[in-house]
């Protein structure tokens, strides 16, 4: 006897066409699902900034739909190592503060290095990746200029989405991939619940692009051409080469004990002199580098969802994924990688829901809609169980590593040794991100769903 999905496939609405919403859509189209992506913007405009994916996250993309990996690579993805003698990718931490050698005050002590292996990371420009990703998805799936306003569960079990332009749409399920300021999260928890909104991490960032010749003059040839993270009391500065080694992208993060005055405005004008004050006593290499930053800089307040984490990611046939569920500060550079793991988990679950529906038939008391509703609610509960702890750990861990980079002990000659012990912890945290057992996650997801659906 035919099952119910043959003539009535699942309809899934994704709110938000960022990296996670579009990757998820690309995964779901492989699962005989009718997908719609509702994006508030007029077009897919990402900023031209660089970002990197771990080898592990790229394998997760491939499991959802190999075209996502092709999109990443056609969008200009490259291995981040530029060292001809050693093709492996590394993260490096260096003492940014102390002048440990009296005879050479610009000497910097290398503190720690982790080997991520060959193509351990692949860097890409966000805008180029997104542009290529859009092409993986049939055009009619994406609706632009649709800003979600409300979601309501209808009496028949379907979910209705209302947009700010007054239009409505319906689906069997809604997946909120609408980023750090997620409307879906706010609708889930209410506008009087702090879990609905991101909060200030008490770090501010200043970013600049510095031409390579100036970076080499300040830092020396090797440091300028390779990623380095300079740590010291209450601040750190990370840089890596971009634009075919013609520039470096440098970002300074500074601890701020104060509250941020306005959570609606998170980027404000800043000055190079602010940074010069913070880094005045640091190693001369860094003060020299900062002199090449533009006089006027953007000062960016770093927000995340750690102070009030989402207590759960699911409610009935509505679920949160990516930054909407777990927006992190950028210190692990892995927020999108974690969102890709979410997407793989959801694609796995939708496959299971389809398998359930394929063998079920309607009876006098159960309709197609109620069967879909029950299976989807069970699937999203499994998603919450499988994904919440790991993804919230990432938000927590990102704050933790930043605090370790900013330890006041870096500024105290008798306590350097104490500060340096943090690298044992940083290594473990990095490896937990890079070596995620996605096969184990898939198995766990399938087993938990089967358990939940057992009559
Ligand atoms: P977003 O990219 O924020 O997309 C959300 C989408 O939803 C947007 O298109 C938005 O317009 C849309 N939307 C919002 N509200 C609505 C609404 N009401 N209705 C309809 N549409 C809506 N991660 C890594 O893995 N590697 C890195 O190297 C890395 N570097 C980073 C560097 C920095 C400086 C920062 C800040 C983050 C970095 N991250 C990195 C994290 C990564 O950028 C995010 O985790 C990722 O972009 C989240 O993707 P998303 O699709 O969940 O959300």
């Amino acid at each position: 006897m035919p099952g119910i999905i043959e003539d009535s496939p699942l309809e899934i609405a994704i709110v938000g066409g960022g990296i996670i919403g579009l990757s998820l859509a690309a995964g779901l189209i492989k699962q005989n699902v009718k997908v719609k992506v509702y994006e508030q913007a007029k077009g897919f405009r990402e900023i031209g900034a660089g970002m990197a994916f771990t080898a592990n996250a790229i394998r997760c993309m491939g499991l959802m739909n190999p075209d996502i990996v092709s999109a990443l690579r056609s969008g200009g993805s490259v291995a981040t190592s530029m060292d001809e003698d050693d093709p492996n990718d590394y993260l490096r931490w260096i003492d940014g503060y102390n002048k440990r050698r009296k005879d050479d005050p610009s000497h910097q002590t290398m503190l720690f290095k982790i080997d991520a292996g060959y193509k351990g990371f692949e860097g890409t420009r966000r805008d180029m990746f997104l542009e290529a990703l859009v092409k993986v998805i049939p055009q009619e799936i994406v609706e632009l200029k649709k800003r979600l306003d409300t979601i309501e569960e209808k009496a028949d079990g379907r979910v209705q989405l209302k947009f700010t332009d007054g239009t409505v749409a319906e689906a069997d399920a809604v997946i909120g991939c609408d980023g750090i300021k997620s409307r879906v999260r706010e609708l889930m928890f209410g506008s009087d619940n702090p879990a609905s909104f991101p909060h200030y991490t008490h770090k501010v960032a200043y970013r600049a692009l510095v031409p390579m010749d100036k970076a080499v003059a300040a830092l020396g040839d090797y440091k300028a051409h390779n990623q380095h993270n300079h740590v010291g009391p209450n601040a750190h500065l990370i840089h890596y080469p971009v634009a075919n080694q013609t520039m470096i992208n440098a970002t300074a993060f500074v601890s701020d004990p104060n509250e941020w005055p306005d959570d609606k405005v998170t980027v404000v004008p800043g000055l190079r002199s602010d940074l010069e004050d913070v880094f005045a006593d640091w190693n001369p290499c860094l003060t020299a580098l900062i002199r090449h930053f533009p006089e006027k800089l953007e000062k960016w307040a770093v927000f995340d969802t750690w102070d009030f984490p989402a207590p759960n990611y699911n409610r009935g046939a509505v679920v949160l994924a990516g930054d909407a569920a777990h927006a992190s500060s950028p210190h692990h550079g892995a927020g999108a990688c974690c969102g890709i793991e979410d997407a793989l988990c959801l694609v796995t679950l939708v496959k299971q829901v389809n398998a359930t529906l394929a063998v079920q038939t309607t009876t006098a008391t159960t309709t197609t809609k109620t069967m879909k509703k029950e299976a989807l609610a069970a699937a999203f509960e499994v998603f919450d169980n499988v994904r919440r702890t790991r993804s919230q750990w990432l938000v927590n861990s990102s704050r933790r590593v930043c605090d370790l980079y900013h330890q006041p002990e870096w500024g105290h000659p008798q306590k350097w040794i104490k500060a340096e012990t943090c690298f044992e912890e940083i290594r473990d945290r990095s490896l937990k991100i890079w070596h995620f057992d996605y096969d184990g996650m898939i198995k766990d997801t399938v087993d938990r769903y089967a358990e939940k659906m057992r009559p």
Side-chain angles (χ1 to χ4, degrees):
M1 202 179 297
I4 63 176
I5 59 156
E6 283 181 14
D7 36 44
S8 164
L10 282 175
E11 287 181 37
I12 297 188
I14 297 173
V15 180
I19 286 168
I20 304 310
L22 291 181
S23 301
L24 177 60
L28 289 178
I29 55 176
K30 291 272 180 203
Q31 301 299 330
N32 185 28
V33 173
K34 275 174 89 176
V35 191
K36 275 271 182 197
V37 178
Y38 298 101
E39 165 58 45
Q40 66 180 359
K42 281 194 226 116
F44 290 100
R45 274 184 309 117
E46 259 281 10
I47 46 170
M51 68 185 300
F53 287 94
T54 59
N56 199 292
I58 295 170
R59 286 194 283 271
C60 292
M61 292 174 186
L63 289 173
M64 285 192 280
N65 181 340
D67 294 344
I68 307 173
V69 182
S70 310
L72 179 75
R73 294 194 171 136
S74 74
S77 148
V78 286
T80 55
S81 171
M82 299 290 173
D83 190 337
E84 279 173 15
D85 300 328
D86 183 354
N88 285 10
D89 289 309
Y90 295 90
L91 292 187
R92 297 173 195 81
W93 290 269
I94 190 163
D95 190 341
Y97 186 77
N98 297 295
K99 295 128 199 142
R100 297 193 195 204
R101 273 208 208 145
K102 288 212 168 54
D103 58 327
D104 178 9
S106 63
H107 168 81
Q108 288 190 276
T109 304
M110 264 305 288
L111 296 168
F112 201 67
K113 180 171 157 177
I114 316 182
D115 184 349
Y118 178 61
K119 285 196 172 188
F121 308 108
E122 289 188 44
T124 185
R125 268 180 51 169
R126 283 167 182 273
D127 53 346
M128 290 169 87
F129 178 34
L130 210 71
E131 227 171 77
L133 199 50
V134 172
K135 293 186 188 138
V136 168
I137 299 162
Q139 245 183 345
E140 65 278 9
I141 281 185
V142 181
E143 291 216 24
L144 297 170
K145 294 196 277 183
K146 290 289 169 199
R147 182 177 170 77
L148 179 79
D149 189 18
T150 61
I151 297 175
E152 236 170 76
E153 196 182 306
K154 292 175 57 202
D156 65 0
R158 299 258 292 170
V159 190
Q160 186 180 67
L161 302 98
K162 277 196 182 144
F163 301 96
T164 50
D165 63 2
T167 56
V168 293
E170 261 188 34
D172 295 311
V174 175
I175 306 179
C177 294
D178 49 346
I180 185 166
K181 294 182 181 165
S182 170
R183 176 70 179 153
V184 180
R185 191 175 69 236
E186 186 182 352
L187 292 168
M188 227 181 216
F189 302 117
S191 43
D192 54 353
N193 186 334
S196 297
F197 307 101
H199 296 270
Y200 185 41
T201 62
H202 294 273
K203 309 285 175 204
V204 290
Y206 301 79
R207 183 178 151 258
L209 291 167
V210 178
M212 187 55 87
D213 56 336
K214 294 192 166 123
V216 169
L219 296 167
D221 197 54
Y222 181 80
K223 276 183 272 172
H225 284 94
N226 290 283
Q227 177 272 354
H228 281 84
N229 197 344
H230 304 251
V231 296
N234 301 314
H236 74 284
L237 189 150
I238 183 167
H239 59 77
Y240 45 87
V242 291
N244 263 339
Q245 300 264 355
T246 58
M247 288 193 276
I248 68 162
N249 180 19
T251 309
F253 291 89
V254 180
S255 286
D256 171 20
N258 305 309
E259 293 305 320
W260 189 257
D262 180 355
D263 59 6
K264 301 272 179 302
V265 183
T266 54
V267 182
V268 297
L271 295 171
R272 182 179 69 210
S273 57
D274 300 345
L275 269 188
E276 284 171 337
D277 290 347
V278 172
F279 285 87
D281 293 333
W282 286 52
N283 188 287
C285 291
L286 292 174
T287 45
L289 180 69
I290 290 167
R291 271 199 292 278
H292 297 302
F293 280 27
E295 233 171 87
K296 291 187 178 167
L297 289 166
E298 283 187 339
K299 177 177 173 181
W300 157 54
V302 182
F303 276 60
D304 72 5
T305 53
W306 179 241
D307 282 342
F308 296 93
N312 51 282
Y313 291 173
N314 65 311
R315 180 160 302 170
V318 181
V319 71
L320 301 169
D323 275 17
H326 46 76
S328 165
S329 52
H331 311 298
H332 275 304
C337 295
C338 191
I340 291 291
E341 294 170 11
D342 290 351
L344 176 61
C345 183
L346 284 166
V347 168
T348 304
L349 282 162
V350 166
K351 187 174 177 184
Q352 300 310 303
V353 170
N354 270 340
T356 306
L357 298 176
V359 294
Q360 289 197 9
T361 48
T362 53
T363 65
T365 50
T366 53
T367 64
T368 307
K369 285 174 185 164
T370 53
M371 281 180 193
K372 284 180 175 172
K373 181 182 161 185
E374 279 165 21
L376 284 163
F380 291 165
E381 204 176 317
V382 170
F383 175 79
D384 175 63
N385 294 163
V386 171
R387 293 297 308 158
R388 184 163 31 81
T389 306
R390 174 171 169 84
S391 52
Q392 292 296 337
W393 168 85
L394 180 78
V395 184
N396 181 7
S397 184
S398 178
R399 278 205 188 196
R400 170 74 182 154
V401 293
C402 188
D403 287 341
L404 294 173
Y405 302 162
H406 291 202
Q407 290 175 91
E409 285 80 2
W410 293 122
H412 196 307
Q414 282 144 332
K415 294 190 176 176
W416 293 340
I417 296 291
K418 189 173 165 184
E420 282 173 19
T421 62
C422 73
F423 292 112
E424 288 290 307
E425 181 178 337
I426 287 169
R427 182 193 48 217
D428 290 349
R429 290 176 183 274
S430 304
L431 296 183
K432 185 173 162 77
I433 293 166
W434 302 348
H435 296 167
F436 175 59
D437 176 13
Y438 50 83
D439 285 329
M441 177 187 78
I442 292 172
K443 183 174 180 319
D444 188 28
T445 301
V446 171
D447 290 350
R448 285 182 194 234
Y449 176 78
E451 181 64 37
K452 218 165 245 325
M453 295 305 286
R454 192 159 292 144

